[in-house]
Amino acid sequence: MRDHYDFSKAVKNPYIGKLKQQITIRLDEQVIDYFKEMSNETGMPYQNIINYYLLDCVKSNRRLELAFA
C-alpha cells in the first residue's frame, strides 16, 4: 500500500442517486411474513421488496381507500 493517495482529480460517482433514508416503521407480523416469503422465492431482501412495492405505489399515484364502519 502507498503512504499517500492523490484524490485531487477524483470525480464523484455519477451512479449514486438519492440516498435512502433509514426509518423505523411498525408492521403487522403477517405483512412481514408475506414479504419474507416473497424474499425466499426471489432471493431479494424483503426490505428491498417492500421499498419497490411502495415506490410502485408512488409512481402509479395509488391511494388507499379507508372506510370506517
Side-chain angles (χ1 to χ4, degrees):
M1 269 181 37
R2 298 179 187 166
D3 291 334
H4 178 71
Y5 290 90
D6 181 14
F7 293 105
S8 63
K9 296 180 183 177
V11 178
K12 188 174 179 179
N13 186 340
Y15 299 104
I16 294 179
K18 194 172 189 180
L19 298 177
K20 293 181 180 174
Q21 181 178 1
Q22 184 175 350
I23 63 165
T24 300
I25 184 170
R26 297 179 187 273
L27 301 173
D28 292 337
E29 187 176 346
Q30 66 188 40
V31 172
I32 296 170
D33 291 342
Y34 175 81
F35 284 102
K36 281 188 175 182
E37 183 179 321
M38 219 186 284
S39 173
N40 290 333
E41 294 170 4
T42 63
M44 181 185 292
Y46 75 96
Q47 296 97 331
N48 290 14
I49 297 172
I50 294 171
N51 186 61
Y52 287 133
Y53 183 81
L54 294 173
L55 189 58
D56 182 59
C57 290
V58 170
K59 288 181 178 180
S60 60
N61 201 25
R62 199 170 300 138
R63 299 283 185 213
L64 179 64
E65 292 183 24
L66 296 174
F68 298 101

